[in-house]
Amino acid sequence: MEIDSEKIHERKQSEYNYLDERFEIHKEMYRGQQYSQIYFARLHLMRTLLYSLAPTWKPHLPVCKVLGLEEGKDCIIVGTLFKHMKLKPCVLDEYSKERSVTPLVKPHNFMHPDDNLILEDESGRVKLGGSALSPAIYVTGVVVALHGKETSAGEFFVEDVLEAGLPPQIERPIDLQEDKYVVLLSGLCIGSKSANPLQFQLLVDHITGHLGDEEEQGLAAQIVHVVIAGNSVEFPRKLINGQNLASKDQSTLYEPIKELDIMLNQIAAGVSVDIMPGLNDPANFALPQQPLNRCLFPGSAPYNTFRSCTNPHSFDVDNIRFLGTSGQNIDDLDKYSEAESKLDFVERTLRWRHLAPTAPNTLGCYPFTDRDPFLIETCPHVYFVGNQDKYDNRLVKGSEGQLVRLICIPKFCETGIAVAVNIKNLECHTLSFSTQVRI
Amino acid sequence: MAGKPAIAIASLDEKKRKYLPTKSQKSEKMTLTHTLNVLDEIESLVSDQLQVVSFKWLSRNFSLSSNTAKRLLKDFVEKHGKGLEVVYIVSGCLKNGPSNYSAKLASSTELPEVEKEFNGKYSVHIYSVQASVPMDPAAIWNAEFVQAEDLSRQPSATDNCLRGNRFCGISNSFVKRNIEGTTGNVTAPRTESVRTNAAPAQKGTVLSNQGKRFQHSNANVSHQAKNENNTAPAQNQSAKSSSDNERSLLVPPNKKNGLGEKSVSGTGGLLKNMWGRVPVKTEDESAKVEVKIHINDHSEVQKPSHDADNKGGSEDENQDVNFKRAPKHENRKRKVILDFSDEEYEDADVISLASPSSPKVNSRPDGKFNSEDSCPEKPDAGVSQEITFDEPEIREEDREKTAVDASTTLPMEKIQAIGSEAEVNPSKRRIIEAPSSPKRKKMLKSRIDDRGREVTEVVWEVTDTKVKKEEDTETSKKLNDGKNANGVNRAVAQKKSPAIGNAAATNAGGKAGSKKGGNIKDPKQGNIMSFFKKV
C-alpha cells in the first residue's frame, strides 16, 4: 500500500528441474518379494561397470566368478561385500531380551576388531583375507572388484581393490555470470523443546528480505532456491503410544505442522522451496522416503514455488546438479564403519557410486525388483547430507575432471546455521542466526 | 493479549484504507499526522497492553513495508523510548568468518559488544520494542506468530500480507498462488450432488461416483465437484494450472502439479478401491441418508395404501404387492456380479449404486420402466467389477432408517421382504454367488443311525443361497408358503405388525433382516421368530 522511496530488489530467477522420479514409488506393487532382487540389480549394474573398468586397471588378469576361483591363480573377482559383524544387533534380540518402551537409540558404533569381509556374487561366497581391504572402511552392500588369489585355506587373499569411482559428470555451464545462491538447511525440529522459533523466523526474514538494510536485502535477493533437508517437525513421542488421543492432545500433535506450514508459507511466497522428509517427519520409514503429503501444508501447497520432494532428492538449478539426503544413509554408515569425519563417509558413498550401500541390510529400504534407485549414475555438482552435527564442506576432484562440493548440513535447531551454496563457483558459506539476548 | 489491540487497529486500518490517497497520489513519505497516530498506537500497545511490537508485526498491522516499519520503530524509540526495552538486530559478516552471514539479536546493553564481532559493513536495526524483555527470547516471536496465524486462517481465496509477502524488500513476480485448489468444505458439495442425483438416476450415478472419487483423492479438485454438470473437473484443474504457468521456471514444477493432481486423482481412485472404502462408506452412508429422505417422502405417500392393504389383511393383496415388485427386483438382480470382497466392501460398492435403486424401489407406479431404464446404467457406471447385492444394501437402509424414523419402518420391512423375495425367486435368472456371510437355516434332517433307527433332528445348517433358491423355486412363489424361514417370518411380521405395534415390528423386521447376514448365532439359542411362527 505504501510506496517507499527505497529500492525493491527483484529476486533472481533460475531454471529448476525436478529429478526425483526414480525415487518415487507410486507404480511399484509389493508382491511379497524379498530383498535379493535389489541386490541382484545392484550387482548386475555395478558389475557391468567394473568389468569395463577392469581392463584399464589390471589388463593382464582374467576376470572370473567366485565359483570359478582356482587355488593360487591370480584373478579379478567382482561381487558384493558382506561384513560379518559380531556386535551387529540382530532382530531376534528384540524377542529375547526385555523390550523398552522408548525406541532404542543406539548412537554408538557396532564395530569390533574381529569383523571380517566376505565377497559374494550369484554363484557363491568367499571369505576375504589380506590387509588391502580394511573391514573398518567397508560395509555390507558395496560392490567392488578385487584382485588377488585363492589361498589353500579357501580364503581369497586380496592384493588390490577397485572401486567404481566417481561417475561421469555433466559439464558445468561456464557462462554463469551472476552469483546465485541455493540455501540448504535441515533439522528444524519444530515442536521439540530445543527448537527456537525465533531463530527460524530470523532465517525466514532474511531469505524473504525483511532483515537488514538494502544492501543485505540485495544479497538475499540472490537466493534462488531453498531446500529443507529433513526433520522439520518433531512430534511429542509420549502422545504416540497407540491409544486414542483426547481432543486437546490432537491439537498438540497438530501444532508443529501448523507452525511449519505458516513458516513455509512465508518462504514460498517469496522463493522456490523444496521440503524433504527426514527420520522424524510424518513420512514412511523405508528409503526412498516419499514426499510429505501436500495436505499437511494447506497454506503453502497452493504456491507454485512449493515442492514436496522425496528423500533422497535430486534436482537441477541452472543445470547445476544437486543430490542429497536427510542424513539417514550417512548416519547408518557411521554405525557400521569408521572415518575421521562425516565427509569421509560422504565421499566414500560417491566413490562407491551408491547413496546408501547399507540399505537394505541395516537401513530400511523398499524391495525394488528391477532396479536400485540409489545408484549414482551421474555425478552431482553439489552433494549434501542433512541433519549432521556440524557444518562441513569439501571439494572433491575426480579422475576425469569431476568437481563436487560435499556439504554436511548441521541441525538448525541446535546450531542455528544454514548453508548457502553459490552455483556460480560452488563456493559455500553459512548463514547463522542467534537469539541470545541478555539484558 | 494480542487479540484486543488487533481488533482496535484493524478498524483503524479500515479507516485508513478509505481515506488515504491512492498510490498515485501518495507522497513518498507518510504524512506527519499519520505517523504520530501510529506512534501513539505503539505506545499504548507496549506500555498498556504489554505487547511486544516487532517491526514485522508493525508492518503487517499497519500495512507498511518492513523498512518503513523499522524506521518508525526507530522514531518511536527516540521519542517515547524511555522506560522501554529495545532489542536490536545486528546483521552482516562476522570478523572471524568473513564470508559468512550472521544475524544476531542484542539488547541495548550488549549492543556495543555484539557490534564488535562484526566487521566491515553491518547493519543495526530495531527488532522489537517491549516493556520488558521476556526470560525466553523466543517469546518475542509470539505476537508476530499469532498475527501470522490469524492471517493464515483467513479464507484461502483472500490474498493478505502473509500470503502475498508484500512488505519485504524483495519482489518475485514469478510466484503464483493457485487459489482454485481449496481444502474447503467438502461435505456440502457432496450432499448437494447426491441430492440432485437421486432423482435423475442415470447421469447421477456416474457423476456422484466421480465426484466422490475426486473429493477423496484430491482436495484441489474437491470444490469443483460441486459443479455437477462438469464431468471433467480434473481436466479443468490442469488446464488452469497450465495456464497459470507460462514461464520456464514454472513449467516443470507445474507440469508436475498438473500431472500430480491427475495422478493423485487416478491413484486416489485406486486407493479408494483398495482400502479407501471405509471412508467412502461413511460418506456414502450420509449420501444414503440423503437419499433415504426421498424414500421417506415416497414411502409417506405409499404408506396409506400399505396400511390399507394390511388392514385389509388379505394375503392375496400382499402377495400381489410383492409379486409386482419381484420382477422389478429381479431386473435388479441381473446385475449381480461375483464378489470376493467382504461384506463391508459390498456395502460400499452397493451404496454407490444406491441412488438409482432406491427410487426404483419406491416409485411403484413407474415401476418397471424406471428400473429397466436405470438398470443398464449400472454397468456403464464403470463399476462392473463391483458387486451389487441388494440384501445388505436394503438391510443397511433399514437400519439407518430405523434410526431416522421409526414410524415409517413398515414400508422398509416390505422392501426387505421384497429383497428376500427377489433372492428367493431367481427362476431363470443368472444369479451368481451369495454374499460371503453364510446363511443358517434350521432344517429337519432324518437319517438312519448306526442302530438302524430313523432319527429326525433339527439341525442348523449353513446353506448356500443358491441351494436355498433352488429349493425355493420348486415351491410356490407365494411368500407365505416359501421355505425361506426368514421370509416367512418377515411376512408374518408384516401381517402381525399392525396388531403388535410398530416398535415390535421394527425389532422383528430388524432382527429378521440381520439374520440374513449375520446368522452366526449360537444354534442352541432359539429363534425368536419361532414365537410368531405358525406351526
Side-chain angles (χ1 to χ4, degrees):
Chain A
M1 271 187 68
E2 302 270 349
I3 297 178
D4 292 319
S5 53
E6 299 144 5
K7 180 181 164 199
I8 302 239
H9 301 270
E10 264 288 323
R11 191 173 290 280
K12 301 241 176 104
Q13 298 301 321
S14 290
E15 222 184 278
Y16 178 92
N17 273 327
Y18 179 81
L19 299 167
D20 276 352
E21 283 88 22
R22 57 205 303 241
F23 300 120
E24 283 169 1
I25 299 189
H26 44 229
K27 299 228 173 37
E28 304 282 338
M29 281 277 293
Y30 181 65
R31 294 185 193 85
Q33 67 264 27
Q34 298 202 1
Y35 286 120
S36 59
Q37 309 205 33
I38 191 175
Y39 275 123
F40 182 72
R42 187 186 300 180
L43 177 61
H44 192 69
L45 284 168
M46 291 293 286
R47 187 163 53 192
T48 322
L49 180 68
L50 287 167
Y51 278 0
S52 65
L53 292 176
T56 41
W57 177 48
K58 304 221 167 177
H60 49 281
L61 290 174
V63 175
C64 60
K65 298 266 170 84
V66 168
L67 271 187
L69 281 178
E70 288 166 19
E71 194 175 324
K73 181 177 135 192
D74 242 355
C75 60
I76 297 176
I77 52 172
V78 177
T80 314
L81 285 174
F82 176 79
K83 184 153 94 169
H84 182 80
M85 298 179 81
K86 215 161 122 164
L87 294 177
K88 181 176 137 187
C90 174
V91 69
L92 296 175
D93 291 344
E94 286 183 33
Y95 294 95
S96 61
K97 297 178 197 160
E98 288 125 20
R99 297 180 62 187
S100 54
V101 179
T102 52
L104 293 167
V105 176
K106 291 193 186 129
H108 62 271
N109 203 288
F110 296 112
M111 289 185 55
H112 192 274
D114 287 345
D115 295 338
N116 53 54
L117 288 169
I118 296 167
L119 191 79
E120 183 179 316
D121 70 7
E122 69 271 13
S123 62
R125 305 180 125 196
V126 64
K127 197 158 168 207
L128 299 175
S131 53
L133 204 61
S134 163
I137 298 177
Y138 288 89
V139 285
T140 305
V142 182
V143 179
V144 287
L146 301 175
H147 161 223
K149 58 164 92 76
E150 192 184 345
T151 61
S152 51
E155 261 187 16
F156 185 83
F157 185 84
V158 179
E159 285 171 31
D160 203 358
V161 185
L162 173 66
E163 293 168 347
L166 260 56
Q169 191 180 59
I170 299 171
E171 281 287 329
R172 237 175 64 218
I174 39 173
D175 57 346
L176 287 175
Q177 307 289 347
E178 313 169 299
D179 286 329
K180 286 186 189 174
Y181 294 91
V182 173
V183 170
L184 307 168
L185 66 140
S186 75
L188 291 168
C189 300
I190 294 178
S192 82
K193 292 191 177 63
S194 60
N196 187 343
L198 184 57
Q199 219 173 27
F200 186 32
Q201 184 69 62
L202 286 178
L203 172 65
V204 171
D205 287 343
H206 169 68
I207 294 175
T208 48
H210 289 275
L211 276 191
D213 57 8
E214 268 179 41
E215 196 177 314
E216 273 175 45
Q217 289 173 0
L219 285 177
Q222 292 173 334
I223 297 174
V224 291
H225 192 60
V226 176
V227 179
I228 302 178
N231 286 350
S232 314
V233 288
E234 196 168 296
F235 293 107
R237 285 267 151 211
K238 60 177 172 59
L239 288 180
I240 311 172
N241 55 3
Q243 311 218 331
N244 287 333
L245 288 178
S247 55
K248 65 171 170 60
D249 283 341
Q250 280 180 10
S251 55
T252 332
L253 201 60
Y254 179 66
E255 284 304 315
I257 279 280
K258 205 162 74 167
E259 193 181 313
L260 176 65
D261 184 36
I262 292 177
M263 305 302 252
L264 282 177
N265 190 340
Q266 294 174 47
I267 305 179
V271 69
S272 163
V273 60
D274 287 353
I275 180 160
M276 291 163 62
L279 192 61
N280 297 333
D281 287 328
N284 58 315
F285 170 74
L287 291 187
Q289 281 182 295
Q290 296 306 291
L292 291 166
N293 199 314
R294 293 170 75 87
C295 297
L296 289 169
F297 309 110
S300 322
Y303 289 90
N304 62 346
T305 44
F306 174 82
R307 250 170 249 101
S308 184
C309 309
T310 58
N311 169 32
H313 181 35
S314 175
F315 61 97
D316 269 354
V317 174
D318 276 350
N319 293 322
I320 303 289
R321 175 72 57 101
F322 283 72
L323 175 65
T325 66
S326 300
Q328 290 108 318
N329 56 337
I330 302 301
D331 292 340
D332 208 54
L333 277 181
D334 199 13
K335 283 190 216 162
Y336 298 100
S337 61
E338 68 180 6
E340 279 172 16
S341 94
K342 290 289 176 77
L343 283 177
D344 290 337
F345 292 127
V346 182
E347 194 178 333
R348 283 178 202 167
T349 59
L350 203 55
R351 290 198 188 280
W352 295 331
R353 291 208 204 183
H354 200 278
L355 275 175
T358 51
N361 187 34
T362 45
L363 190 56
C365 166
Y366 181 85
F368 290 97
T369 49
D370 52 352
R371 62 196 175 102
D372 185 348
F374 303 112
L375 286 169
I376 306 174
E377 280 154 15
T378 318
C379 191
H381 296 102
V382 177
Y383 181 17
F384 61 90
V385 176
N387 294 299
Q388 299 306 303
D389 297 322
K390 60 185 182 71
Y391 163 66
D392 209 350
N393 75 83
R394 182 188 294 177
L395 193 62
V396 169
K397 292 195 173 72
S399 57
E400 290 159 27
Q402 301 102 327
L403 213 58
V404 194
R405 172 69 66 184
L406 308 179
I407 303 177
C408 282
I409 311 171
K411 292 193 189 116
F412 192 79
C413 62
E414 289 172 10
T415 58
I417 294 176
V419 184
V421 187
N422 187 346
I423 55 177
K424 183 173 90 171
N425 50 20
L426 297 186
E427 297 286 329
C428 54
H429 64 264
T430 58
L431 308 171
S432 60
F433 299 90
S434 150
T435 56
Q436 290 295 333
V437 179
R438 279 176 296 113
I439 314 303
Chain B
M1 202 158 64
K4 227 170 132 190
I7 296 167
I9 291 162
S11 59
L12 186 68
D13 240 1
E14 279 178 317
K15 284 186 204 161
K16 275 191 283 173
R17 283 203 190 102
K18 275 189 210 164
Y19 298 118
L20 279 177
T22 60
K23 266 192 180 175
S24 55
Q25 294 168 358
K26 254 186 242 180
S27 61
E28 286 173 344
K29 293 176 193 163
M30 284 165 45
T31 59
L32 195 60
T33 44
H34 186 205
T35 317
L36 287 176
N37 282 340
V38 175
L39 292 183
D40 287 336
E41 286 284 343
I42 301 174
E43 166 116 54
S44 90
L45 283 169
V46 178
S47 312
D48 305 331
Q49 315 273 1
L50 299 181
Q51 189 196 313
V52 173
V53 174
S54 64
F55 73 89
K56 282 265 303 281
W57 187 93
L58 200 64
S59 91
R60 283 187 189 144
N61 210 298
F62 293 99
S63 305
L64 311 163
S65 82
S66 294
N67 296 332
T68 312
K70 285 180 218 165
R71 276 203 296 270
L72 250 189
L73 275 183
K74 195 166 159 198
D75 291 342
F76 174 78
V77 168
E78 279 166 16
K79 290 180 186 148
H80 306 267
K82 281 228 171 80
L84 297 174
E85 288 182 9
V86 184
V87 173
Y88 295 90
I89 174 97
V90 188
S91 53
C93 292
L94 290 174
K95 276 183 184 148
N96 56 2
S99 57
N100 296 328
Y101 176 86
S102 179
K104 292 191 182 191
L105 288 181
S107 66
S108 33
T109 44
E110 34 172 31
L111 188 57
E113 268 177 62
V114 172
E115 276 179 304
K116 281 186 202 141
E117 291 174 32
F118 286 81
N119 74 340
K121 233 181 152 219
Y122 60 88
S123 68
V124 179
H125 292 276
I126 295 177
Y127 189 79
S128 66
V129 288
Q130 51 271 312
S132 65
V133 175
M135 284 296 290
D136 177 14
I140 298 173
W141 170 81
N142 287 347
E144 203 181 296
F145 184 65
V146 168
Q147 187 189 47
E149 268 188 316
D150 290 338
L151 286 168
S152 71
R153 273 193 218 116
Q154 286 179 0
S156 180
T158 0
D159 191 21
N160 54 35
C161 55
L162 176 74
R163 298 187 181 134
N165 201 33
R166 275 177 219 158
F167 302 122
C168 59
I170 304 174
S171 74
N172 189 347
S173 48
F174 292 94
V175 178
K176 290 213 164 40
R177 190 164 160 268
N178 186 3
I179 304 173
E180 288 292 326
T182 55
T183 51
N185 198 358
V186 189
T187 53
R190 201 183 306 112
T191 51
E192 274 174 37
S193 63
V194 172
R195 232 183 265 260
T196 57
N197 287 336
Q202 291 87 342
K203 277 187 188 160
T205 28
V206 181
L207 268 174
S208 65
N209 277 339
Q210 273 191 358
K212 281 167 202 164
R213 283 222 174 94
F214 284 125
Q215 278 153 9
H216 283 299
S217 57
N218 193 349
N220 277 348
V221 192
S222 62
H223 86 294
Q224 287 190 357
K226 242 190 218 177
N227 193 355
E228 290 127 31
N229 298 322
N230 184 0
T231 50
Q235 286 148 20
N236 278 349
Q237 180 68 5
S238 58
K240 275 180 191 123
S241 49
S242 55
S243 62
D244 272 346
N245 318 305
E246 296 129 1
R247 305 201 174 109
S248 62
L249 171 68
L250 316 171
V251 169
N254 282 291
K255 260 192 190 152
K256 181 184 173 282
N257 264 349
L259 282 174
E261 279 159 14
K262 273 189 188 156
S263 65
V264 165
S265 53
T267 53
L270 280 175
L271 279 175
K272 176 190 175 228
N273 287 338
M274 275 167 58
W275 51 261
R277 281 175 185 164
V278 176
V280 168
K281 185 176 152 187
T282 52
E283 280 131 7
D284 283 330
E285 283 181 359
S286 74
K288 271 191 308 181
V289 173
E290 294 296 324
V291 172
K292 254 186 285 293
I293 293 169
H294 285 278
I295 296 172
N296 269 345
D297 295 337
H298 287 284
S299 59
E300 300 282 2
V301 172
Q302 292 160 10
K303 199 176 138 188
S305 56
H306 276 240
D307 286 342
D309 285 347
N310 283 332
K311 277 165 192 164
S314 70
E315 289 182 11
D316 293 332
E317 274 199 45
N318 276 343
Q319 287 168 30
D320 285 346
V321 163
N322 297 326
F323 217 169
K324 258 190 234 162
R325 285 186 187 170
K328 234 202 312 180
H329 288 274
E330 281 167 354
N331 285 341
R332 245 201 302 167
K333 266 317 190 193
R334 223 181 290 188
K335 284 165 251 76
V336 173
I337 319 167
L338 200 58
D339 180 26
F340 295 110
S341 61
D342 287 345
E343 202 179 354
E344 280 181 358
Y345 293 168
E346 274 175 38
D347 287 347
D349 299 328
V350 163
I351 288 154
S352 61
L353 301 167
S355 33
S357 62
S358 357
K360 248 195 303 180
V361 168
N362 294 308
S363 50
R364 253 205 282 149
D366 305 330
K368 289 175 190 174
F369 299 102
N370 214 4
S371 62
E372 272 156 16
D373 282 345
S374 43
C375 281
E377 287 303 319
K378 277 193 184 173
D380 294 344
V383 289
S384 53
Q385 291 307 313
E386 303 171 296
I387 279 102
T388 328
F389 209 88
D390 303 301
E391 204 89 43
E393 162 201 348
I394 293 168
R395 214 178 338 116
E396 280 270 16
E397 288 181 348
D398 181 48
R399 277 194 221 121
E400 291 254 336
K401 257 230 85 193
T402 54
V404 170
D405 188 356
S407 59
T408 53
T409 50
L410 195 57
M412 287 311 293
E413 286 166 25
K414 289 223 163 178
I415 294 164
Q416 235 169 353
I418 290 144
S420 65
E421 255 306 272
E423 189 192 2
V424 159
N425 302 312
S427 48
K428 285 142 198 165
R429 311 290 180 219
R430 181 177 57 90
I431 296 177
I432 315 175
E433 255 77 295
S436 47
S437 54
K439 300 210 182 335
R440 280 180 173 227
K441 222 179 67 149
K442 223 175 180 181
M443 279 186 53
L444 285 168
K445 251 193 156 180
S446 49
R447 58 181 175 87
I448 312 283
D449 77 350
D450 47 359
R451 273 203 175 170
R453 293 177 285 198
E454 185 172 315
V455 178
T456 311
E457 39 186 37
V458 175
V459 163
W460 278 104
E461 264 197 1
V462 177
T463 59
D464 220 5
T465 318
K466 223 179 191 172
V467 175
K468 200 166 56 170
K469 282 176 193 159
E470 279 163 7
E471 279 178 29
D472 290 333
T473 47
E474 288 158 9
T475 63
S476 73
K477 290 192 177 174
K478 288 184 183 173
L479 181 63
N480 290 336
D481 296 338
K483 288 277 189 269
N484 185 344
N486 295 330
V488 171
N489 294 334
R490 216 173 290 116
V492 172
Q494 281 171 21
K495 270 210 236 167
K496 291 274 181 189
S497 46
I500 294 168
N502 282 335
T506 311
N507 288 338
K511 276 202 179 128
S514 61
K515 249 203 197 121
K516 275 260 162 176
N519 249 351
I520 317 164
K521 285 192 192 141
D522 194 344
K524 292 193 185 117
Q525 221 180 46
N527 182 3
I528 194 168
M529 294 318 297
S530 60
F531 182 71
F532 302 107
K533 198 175 187 175
K534 277 183 186 171
V535 175

